[in-house]
Amino acid sequence: MAEAESGIFKDLAEVAEVRIADAVELDARLRSADAPFVVRGLVRDWPLVAAGRRSSRDARAYLLQHHRDTAFTVTVGEQGGDGRLFYDAAMAMNFRTLRAKLPDIFQRMDSVEGQAGAPPVYLGSIDMHQFFTGLHEANHVDLADRTCLASIWIGSKTRIAAHNDLPHNLACVAVGRRRFTLFPREQFRNLHLGPIDNTPAGRAISMVDFHAPDLQRHPRFPEALAHAQVAELDAGDALYIPAMWWHHVEGLADFNVLVNYWWRETPRWLGSPQDALNHALLAIRDLPADQKQHWRDLFDYYVFNNGDDVTAHIPEHGRSVLAPLTPESADRIRAFLLRNLSHDVQPTPHRYCRGRHSGLDGGGRDRADDGPHRRGDAGGIRRDRDDRSGGIDDPAARHLQPAARHRRGRFHARDTGDLQARHPVRWLEGR
């Protein structure tokens, strides 16, 4: 771990390494694991790995043989920076999000590779099936009966702040080297998380600079480090990251490619826990303390404990969504939420004061609005499905969307738009 022999990394425990003989053993290990583990050489026989061992240019040429002729979303960092894709001083993003054809992106990466101070370039969570042909078929891991989202991550030297994802993750280094610093789920308090809406990539991130921790601003970070594990991976190595584990990721070589697989062990028709948290911030957090405590008790009763006493007194045929969920009852909840959220607008106070209740239903919602948010029309609150490379719009993968949206939430990013028709290379030169 020569690269890790500095700063905070040199004293961290290393992620456990295991030997895997075949796909059956890997499947068994993944089903039983409750902590990260490394498998050295798991994907060493991939053609992409072989190309990368020859040179980074050969790796790019191999990828171009399989790419589709479409625009890719690419993140470009600041000239003269250290590769950290993060916030700037104003809590906007310190990178731009652009669109260009892959040959143009690679042409510029060829020309600046190894140059000190060149802006970092990062293509994150690109759907392998949507943006490439034959790449997944020639370079994939047998993960048995799991329904996986296979993504590829391509970039120069970069640092991605610690974050977590809802699904389980098998991350395979195909080209270059990467360092992962991992933390158990419960360490979120000690990682000093930033906003949950204005994020670089859709998930809340640690505000700590792992290369220069400021312990006055982030005094609980040493406690997180006491539970941290580090793994440095070479081309061909793989790392299993359990669901919700925090991970800080660095591309250590001048050119790095990673292929990862996300999957969940719950049905794809379940909702996103993150959506529930976001709505709780809107609906519960700012209530009076006694009401908040009541809702805590209700959540414990209906959600976290969910004992037999919740439904024992209700005839079985009448338990509706309180019974174990099915795809049909999940759809009913979703439709119910959409209807209510699309009308969840507080009436102005004077309408109550003047007793004008004729336009309100029993819940205090204004039925007079027959515009785009009318009952039954979810258009006003549909999920943010931006046009990113790697975007998940396949019904078979929608259960992964909230966790896999690694380009979501760039509300303050500097987006200079579609560059295909303008200057597909000059944007990397900062002009």
Side-chain angles (χ1 to χ4, degrees), residues 92-123:
M93 303 306 155
N94 69 350
F95 54 81
R96 294 172 292 162
T97 304
L98 313 167
R99 288 173 62 76
K101 296 293 186 69
L102 193 61
D104 295 324
I105 298 170
F106 281 178
Q107 178 185 342
R108 185 57 186 168
M109 294 184 80
D110 277 340
S111 67
V112 301
E113 185 172 305
Q115 291 184 14
V121 179
Y122 189 67
L123 296 93

Side-chain angles (χ1 to χ4, degrees), residues 316-374:
E316 188 171 348
H317 63 273
R319 292 173 182 175
S320 187
V321 298
L322 294 180
L325 284 179
T326 66
E328 294 74 24
S329 59
D331 282 346
R332 289 202 302 274
I333 294 178
R334 192 169 286 110
F336 179 80
L337 288 171
L338 288 173
R339 286 196 303 271
N340 283 276
L341 286 170
S342 64
H343 280 263
D344 198 6
V345 179
Q346 292 294 326
T348 54
H350 73 272
R351 297 187 68 177
Y352 280 122
C353 294
R354 296 177 184 177
R356 295 173 60 184
H357 296 282
S358 60
L360 300 177
D361 66 16
R365 297 183 178 87
D366 190 348
R367 291 198 303 267
D369 178 10
D370 197 29
H373 300 284
R374 62 187 176 273

